Amino acid sequence: MTTTVQATAATGEVPRRNDLGWRGSSFATQVWVLTQRSLNTFLRDPRMLFFSLLQPLVMLLLFSQVFGGISQLGSMHQWGSYINYLLPSTLVTTAMTSAMSSGVGLLTEMSNGVIARFRSMPVSLFAVLLARSLSDTVRMAIQLVVMLIAAALLFGFTPAGGMLGVAAALLVSLVVGWGLGWLFLAIATWVKKAETMQAVAFLTMFPLMFGSSAYMPVSTMPGWVQVIANVNPLSYAIFASRGLATTIWEANPAYTLIASLAISGVIALVGGLIATRNFRRTN
Protein backbone atom coordinates (compact mmCIF):
# COMPACT_ATOMS: atom_id res chain seq x y z
CA MET A 1 0.00 0.00 0.00
CA THR A 2 2.90 2.36 0.82
CA THR A 3 4.41 1.63 -2.56
CA THR A 4 1.09 2.42 -4.26
CA VAL A 5 0.76 5.72 -2.41
CA GLN A 6 4.33 6.66 -3.27
CA ALA A 7 3.78 5.78 -6.91
CA THR A 8 0.63 7.87 -6.98
CA ALA A 9 2.40 10.83 -5.44
CA ALA A 10 5.27 10.54 -7.87
CA THR A 11 3.22 10.19 -11.06
CA GLY A 12 0.10 12.10 -10.08
CA GLU A 13 -2.05 9.28 -11.46
CA VAL A 14 -4.88 7.58 -9.58
CA PRO A 15 -4.40 3.81 -9.57
CA ARG A 16 -7.05 1.71 -11.26
CA ARG A 17 -9.41 -0.39 -9.15
CA ASN A 18 -7.70 -3.60 -10.26
CA ASP A 19 -4.31 -2.19 -9.18
CA LEU A 20 -5.73 -1.74 -5.68
CA GLY A 21 -6.86 -5.35 -5.54
CA TRP A 22 -10.54 -4.45 -6.03
CA ARG A 23 -12.18 -7.21 -8.00
CA GLY A 24 -15.85 -7.42 -8.87
CA SER A 25 -17.91 -10.49 -8.07
CA SER A 26 -18.55 -13.17 -10.68
CA PHE A 27 -21.09 -12.58 -13.45
CA ALA A 28 -23.47 -15.18 -12.00
CA THR A 29 -23.33 -13.53 -8.56
CA GLN A 30 -24.03 -10.13 -10.07
CA VAL A 31 -27.07 -11.44 -11.95
CA TRP A 32 -28.37 -13.22 -8.83
CA VAL A 33 -27.98 -10.18 -6.56
CA LEU A 34 -29.43 -7.74 -9.10
CA THR A 35 -32.36 -10.06 -9.81
CA GLN A 36 -33.13 -10.30 -6.09
CA ARG A 37 -32.91 -6.53 -5.82
CA SER A 38 -35.47 -6.02 -8.61
CA LEU A 39 -37.80 -8.65 -7.16
CA ASN A 40 -37.60 -7.13 -3.70
CA THR A 41 -38.56 -3.75 -5.16
CA PHE A 42 -41.68 -5.36 -6.60
CA LEU A 43 -42.64 -7.59 -3.66
CA ARG A 44 -42.08 -4.96 -0.96
CA ASP A 45 -44.37 -2.39 -2.56
CA PRO A 46 -47.95 -3.45 -1.66
CA ARG A 47 -49.55 -1.02 -4.11
CA MET A 48 -47.41 -2.14 -7.03
CA LEU A 49 -48.01 -5.78 -6.14
CA PHE A 50 -51.78 -5.30 -5.80
CA PHE A 51 -52.34 -3.41 -9.05
CA SER A 52 -49.99 -5.60 -11.10
CA LEU A 53 -52.01 -8.66 -10.01
CA LEU A 54 -55.34 -6.88 -10.43
CA GLN A 55 -54.76 -5.69 -13.98
CA PRO A 56 -54.84 -9.09 -15.75
CA LEU A 57 -57.91 -10.11 -13.72
CA VAL A 58 -59.77 -6.99 -14.81
CA MET A 59 -58.80 -7.60 -18.44
CA LEU A 60 -59.96 -11.21 -18.19
CA LEU A 61 -63.29 -10.13 -16.68
CA LEU A 62 -63.90 -7.49 -19.34
CA PHE A 63 -63.01 -9.63 -22.35
CA SER A 64 -64.89 -12.68 -21.07
CA GLN A 65 -68.06 -10.59 -20.69
CA VAL A 66 -67.74 -8.36 -23.75
CA PHE A 67 -66.88 -11.17 -26.15
CA GLY A 68 -68.81 -13.89 -24.31
CA GLY A 69 -71.55 -13.93 -26.97
CA ILE A 70 -69.03 -15.36 -29.44
CA SER A 71 -69.52 -18.72 -27.73
CA GLN A 72 -72.86 -18.99 -29.58
CA LEU A 73 -71.05 -19.31 -32.91
CA GLY A 74 -71.00 -22.83 -34.28
CA SER A 75 -67.21 -22.84 -34.56
CA MET A 76 -66.90 -22.18 -30.81
CA HIS A 77 -68.86 -25.19 -29.54
CA GLN A 78 -65.82 -27.45 -29.55
CA TRP A 79 -64.26 -25.44 -26.69
CA GLY A 80 -67.29 -25.87 -24.45
CA SER A 81 -67.27 -22.32 -23.10
CA TYR A 82 -65.71 -19.06 -24.20
CA ILE A 83 -63.42 -18.92 -21.15
CA ASN A 84 -61.70 -22.11 -22.33
CA TYR A 85 -61.02 -20.38 -25.63
CA LEU A 86 -60.09 -17.02 -24.12
CA LEU A 87 -57.81 -17.82 -21.21
CA PRO A 88 -54.93 -19.56 -23.07
CA SER A 89 -54.68 -16.56 -25.39
CA THR A 90 -54.96 -14.18 -22.44
CA LEU A 91 -51.89 -15.84 -20.95
CA VAL A 92 -49.94 -14.79 -24.03
CA THR A 93 -51.36 -11.27 -24.29
CA THR A 94 -50.86 -10.65 -20.57
CA ALA A 95 -47.25 -11.80 -20.89
CA MET A 96 -46.83 -9.34 -23.74
CA THR A 97 -48.27 -6.39 -21.84
CA SER A 98 -46.25 -7.32 -18.75
CA ALA A 99 -43.09 -7.42 -20.84
CA MET A 100 -43.50 -3.70 -21.48
CA SER A 101 -42.73 -3.02 -17.82
CA SER A 102 -39.19 -4.27 -18.39
CA GLY A 103 -38.49 -1.23 -20.52
CA VAL A 104 -40.38 1.14 -18.24
CA GLY A 105 -38.52 -0.19 -15.19
CA LEU A 106 -35.15 0.25 -16.88
CA LEU A 107 -35.99 3.81 -17.88
CA THR A 108 -37.03 4.57 -14.29
CA GLU A 109 -33.67 3.37 -12.97
CA MET A 110 -31.84 5.29 -15.68
CA SER A 111 -33.62 8.51 -14.70
CA ASN A 112 -33.31 8.20 -10.90
CA GLY A 113 -29.55 7.59 -10.93
CA VAL A 114 -29.49 3.86 -10.09
CA ILE A 115 -27.84 2.92 -13.38
CA ALA A 116 -25.30 5.71 -12.97
CA ARG A 117 -24.25 4.21 -9.63
CA PHE A 118 -23.95 0.77 -11.25
CA ARG A 119 -21.63 2.26 -13.87
CA SER A 120 -19.25 3.40 -11.14
CA MET A 121 -19.01 -0.16 -9.80
CA PRO A 122 -17.27 -3.24 -11.21
CA VAL A 123 -20.62 -4.53 -12.48
CA SER A 124 -21.31 -5.95 -15.91
CA LEU A 125 -23.88 -3.81 -17.71
CA PHE A 126 -25.22 -6.91 -19.43
CA ALA A 127 -25.78 -8.41 -15.96
CA VAL A 128 -27.98 -5.41 -15.16
CA LEU A 129 -30.10 -6.06 -18.26
CA LEU A 130 -30.24 -9.82 -17.72
CA ALA A 131 -31.27 -9.39 -14.09
CA ARG A 132 -34.03 -7.01 -15.13
CA SER A 133 -35.24 -9.57 -17.69
CA LEU A 134 -35.20 -12.47 -15.21
CA SER A 135 -36.91 -10.58 -12.38
CA ASP A 136 -39.66 -9.37 -14.72
CA THR A 137 -40.17 -12.94 -15.96
CA VAL A 138 -40.65 -14.12 -12.36
CA ARG A 139 -43.11 -11.28 -11.78
CA MET A 140 -44.88 -12.25 -14.99
CA ALA A 141 -45.13 -15.87 -13.80
CA ILE A 142 -46.76 -14.74 -10.55
CA GLN A 143 -49.33 -12.72 -12.49
CA LEU A 144 -50.19 -15.59 -14.82
CA VAL A 145 -50.50 -18.15 -12.01
CA VAL A 146 -52.85 -15.86 -10.07
CA MET A 147 -54.91 -15.37 -13.22
CA LEU A 148 -55.14 -19.13 -13.80
CA ILE A 149 -56.31 -19.74 -10.24
CA ALA A 150 -58.92 -16.97 -10.50
CA ALA A 151 -60.14 -18.29 -13.86
CA ALA A 152 -60.60 -21.78 -12.44
CA LEU A 153 -62.37 -20.61 -9.28
CA LEU A 154 -64.46 -17.73 -10.61
CA PHE A 155 -64.97 -18.28 -14.34
CA GLY A 156 -65.22 -22.06 -14.61
CA PHE A 157 -62.04 -22.60 -16.62
CA THR A 158 -61.88 -26.36 -17.24
CA PRO A 159 -59.42 -27.09 -20.05
CA ALA A 160 -59.27 -30.56 -21.58
CA GLY A 161 -55.48 -30.52 -21.41
CA GLY A 162 -55.52 -30.69 -17.61
CA MET A 163 -52.76 -29.46 -15.35
CA LEU A 164 -49.95 -30.57 -17.67
CA GLY A 165 -51.46 -28.84 -20.67
CA VAL A 166 -52.05 -25.62 -18.73
CA ALA A 167 -48.50 -25.75 -17.33
CA ALA A 168 -47.13 -26.14 -20.87
CA ALA A 169 -49.26 -23.22 -22.08
CA LEU A 170 -47.97 -21.16 -19.15
CA LEU A 171 -44.38 -22.00 -20.09
CA VAL A 172 -44.92 -21.00 -23.71
CA SER A 173 -46.43 -17.70 -22.57
CA LEU A 174 -43.46 -17.01 -20.30
CA VAL A 175 -41.01 -17.68 -23.14
CA VAL A 176 -42.95 -15.27 -25.36
CA GLY A 177 -43.04 -12.65 -22.60
CA TRP A 178 -39.33 -13.10 -21.90
CA GLY A 179 -38.47 -12.61 -25.58
CA LEU A 180 -40.67 -9.53 -25.89
CA GLY A 181 -39.16 -8.18 -22.68
CA TRP A 182 -35.80 -7.94 -24.47
CA LEU A 183 -37.49 -6.08 -27.31
CA PHE A 184 -38.89 -3.52 -24.90
CA LEU A 185 -35.49 -3.22 -23.18
CA ALA A 186 -34.00 -2.43 -26.58
CA ILE A 187 -36.70 0.17 -27.20
CA ALA A 188 -36.06 1.69 -23.77
CA THR A 189 -32.34 2.12 -24.43
CA TRP A 190 -33.22 3.76 -27.74
CA VAL A 191 -36.00 6.23 -26.81
CA LYS A 192 -34.72 7.02 -23.27
CA LYS A 193 -38.07 8.55 -22.22
CA ALA A 194 -40.87 6.69 -20.44
CA GLU A 195 -43.61 8.58 -22.29
CA THR A 196 -42.16 7.74 -25.69
CA MET A 197 -41.56 4.19 -24.54
CA GLN A 198 -45.20 3.69 -23.60
CA ALA A 199 -46.42 5.26 -26.86
CA VAL A 200 -44.24 2.95 -28.95
CA ALA A 201 -45.22 -0.07 -26.85
CA PHE A 202 -48.96 0.48 -27.16
CA LEU A 203 -48.62 1.19 -30.88
CA THR A 204 -46.90 -2.20 -31.15
CA MET A 205 -49.09 -4.23 -28.82
CA PHE A 206 -52.64 -3.39 -29.86
CA PRO A 207 -52.31 -4.36 -33.56
CA LEU A 208 -50.64 -7.60 -32.48
CA MET A 209 -53.35 -8.38 -29.92
CA PHE A 210 -56.45 -7.57 -31.95
CA GLY A 211 -55.00 -8.67 -35.26
CA SER A 212 -54.69 -12.25 -33.99
CA SER A 213 -56.92 -15.12 -32.90
CA ALA A 214 -56.74 -14.00 -29.27
CA TYR A 215 -60.44 -13.17 -28.93
CA MET A 216 -62.23 -14.87 -31.83
CA PRO A 217 -61.53 -17.54 -34.46
CA VAL A 218 -59.68 -16.35 -37.54
CA SER A 219 -62.40 -17.82 -39.76
CA THR A 220 -64.95 -15.29 -38.44
CA MET A 221 -62.82 -12.25 -39.34
CA PRO A 222 -62.99 -10.17 -42.54
CA GLY A 223 -60.74 -11.47 -45.30
CA TRP A 224 -58.02 -8.83 -44.99
CA VAL A 225 -57.87 -9.29 -41.20
CA GLN A 226 -57.52 -13.05 -41.70
CA VAL A 227 -54.44 -12.42 -43.83
CA ILE A 228 -52.91 -10.32 -41.04
CA ALA A 229 -53.87 -12.79 -38.32
CA ASN A 230 -52.34 -15.72 -40.20
CA VAL A 231 -48.95 -13.98 -40.49
CA ASN A 232 -49.09 -12.32 -37.07
CA PRO A 233 -46.26 -13.86 -34.98
CA LEU A 234 -48.41 -13.58 -31.86
CA SER A 235 -50.96 -15.92 -33.45
CA TYR A 236 -48.44 -18.77 -33.41
CA ALA A 237 -47.96 -18.40 -29.67
CA ILE A 238 -51.73 -18.20 -29.13
CA PHE A 239 -52.34 -21.30 -31.27
CA ALA A 240 -49.68 -23.17 -29.28
CA SER A 241 -50.96 -22.03 -25.88
CA ARG A 242 -54.58 -22.80 -26.73
CA GLY A 243 -53.72 -26.16 -28.27
CA LEU A 244 -51.67 -27.25 -25.25
CA ALA A 245 -54.33 -26.19 -22.76
CA THR A 246 -57.43 -27.45 -24.61
CA THR A 247 -55.95 -30.20 -26.88
CA ILE A 248 -57.77 -28.49 -29.78
CA TRP A 249 -55.26 -27.31 -32.35
CA GLU A 250 -56.19 -24.63 -34.88
CA ALA A 251 -53.00 -25.25 -36.88
CA ASN A 252 -50.26 -27.85 -37.13
CA PRO A 253 -49.16 -28.52 -33.50
CA ALA A 254 -45.43 -29.00 -34.12
CA TYR A 255 -45.24 -26.05 -36.51
CA THR A 256 -47.01 -23.56 -34.24
CA LEU A 257 -45.09 -24.65 -31.16
CA ILE A 258 -41.68 -24.53 -32.82
CA ALA A 259 -42.50 -21.27 -34.60
CA SER A 260 -43.63 -19.52 -31.42
CA LEU A 261 -40.52 -20.56 -29.49
CA ALA A 262 -38.18 -19.80 -32.40
CA ILE A 263 -39.64 -16.34 -33.00
CA SER A 264 -39.37 -15.56 -29.28
CA GLY A 265 -35.74 -16.70 -29.29
CA VAL A 266 -34.87 -14.55 -32.31
CA ILE A 267 -36.58 -11.52 -30.75
CA ALA A 268 -34.70 -12.08 -27.48
CA LEU A 269 -31.37 -12.43 -29.31
CA VAL A 270 -31.78 -9.36 -31.51
CA GLY A 271 -33.31 -7.31 -28.72
CA GLY A 272 -30.57 -8.35 -26.31
CA LEU A 273 -27.81 -7.36 -28.73
CA ILE A 274 -29.38 -3.98 -29.48
CA ALA A 275 -30.18 -3.28 -25.83
CA THR A 276 -26.64 -4.15 -24.71
CA ARG A 277 -25.06 -2.01 -27.43
CA ASN A 278 -27.28 1.00 -26.73
CA PHE A 279 -26.95 0.57 -22.96
CA ARG A 280 -23.17 0.69 -23.11
CA ARG A 281 -23.27 3.85 -25.23
CA THR A 282 -25.71 5.63 -22.92
CA ASN A 283 -24.08 8.29 -20.77
Side-chain angles (χ1 to χ4, degrees):
M1 179 63 71
T2 304
T3 304
T4 302
V5 174
Q6 291 175 347
T8 302
T11 61
E13 297 180 354
V14 178
R16 295 175 299 176
R17 288 182 297 222
N18 288 345
D19 296 334
L20 297 175
W22 184 7
R23 296 288 193 275
S25 57
S26 67
F27 179 80
T29 301
Q30 292 177 18
V31 172
W32 173 251
V33 172
L34 292 171
T35 301
Q36 284 186 311
R37 172 191 169 276
S38 296
L39 282 175
N40 288 337
T41 301
F42 168 68
L43 296 175
R44 292 178 179 176
D45 188 336
R47 289 170 295 184
M48 182 187 299
L49 181 62
F50 173 75
F51 286 109
S52 64
L53 296 178
L54 181 64
Q55 178 184 353
L57 297 181
V58 172
M59 298 298 291
L60 181 63
L61 175 63
L62 288 176
F63 284 123
S64 65
Q65 299 305 307
V66 171
F67 294 105
I70 297 175
S71 60
Q72 303 302 317
L73 297 176
S75 58
M76 296 294 296
H77 291 165
Q78 57 185 329
W79 279 281
S81 65
Y82 183 61
I83 192 65
N84 290 336
Y85 179 88
L86 175 67
L87 186 62
S89 63
T90 305
L91 291 176
V92 178
T93 56
T94 300
M96 181 179 66
T97 55
S98 297
M100 183 185 69
S101 63
S102 295
V104 175
L106 180 64
L107 284 173
T108 300
E109 293 188 338
M110 292 172 66
S111 62
N112 63 19
V114 172
I115 300 300
R117 290 196 291 271
F118 285 154
R119 290 179 182 275
S120 65
M121 303 176 184
V123 175
S124 168
L125 294 180
F126 179 67
V128 176
L129 294 175
L130 182 58
R132 164 62 58 181
S133 174
L134 294 176
S135 63
D136 287 339
T137 303
V138 173
R139 176 184 51 78
M140 189 187 307
I142 296 173
Q143 288 179 308
L144 297 185
V145 169
V146 170
M147 186 170 63
L148 283 171
I149 295 173
L153 296 178
L154 304 177
F155 297 96
F157 178 56
T158 55
M163 292 293 294
L164 289 178
V166 172
L170 175 63
L171 182 59
V172 169
S173 302
L174 290 176
V175 172
V176 172
W178 175 76
L180 289 173
W182 281 106
L183 174 62
F184 288 121
L185 285 174
I187 295 174
T189 58
W190 172 52
V191 299
K192 300 181 178 64
K193 289 184 178 180
E195 295 82 1
T196 308
M197 166 73 200
Q198 292 176 339
V200 172
F202 282 113
L203 186 63
T204 303
M205 289 191 302
F206 277 96
L208 288 175
M209 287 173 58
F210 292 99
S212 69
S213 66
Y215 305 112
M216 61 181 64
V218 176
S219 60
T220 63
M221 301 176 181
W224 66 273
V225 181
Q226 290 186 30
V227 174
I228 295 175
N230 286 324
V231 298
N232 185 343
L234 195 67
S235 291
Y236 295 110
I238 291 172
F239 288 153
S241 176
R242 188 178 290 135
L244 290 168
T246 65
T247 69
I248 301 173
W249 293 87
E250 302 161 88
N252 182 275
Y255 175 74
T256 54
L257 186 58
I258 294 173
S260 61
L261 297 178
I263 292 173
S264 299
V266 171
I267 292 175
L269 177 61
V270 175
L273 291 174
I274 296 175
T276 303
R277 184 195 63 181
N278 292 346
F279 197 47
R280 287 173 175 169
R281 291 180 178 179
T282 303
N283 294 325

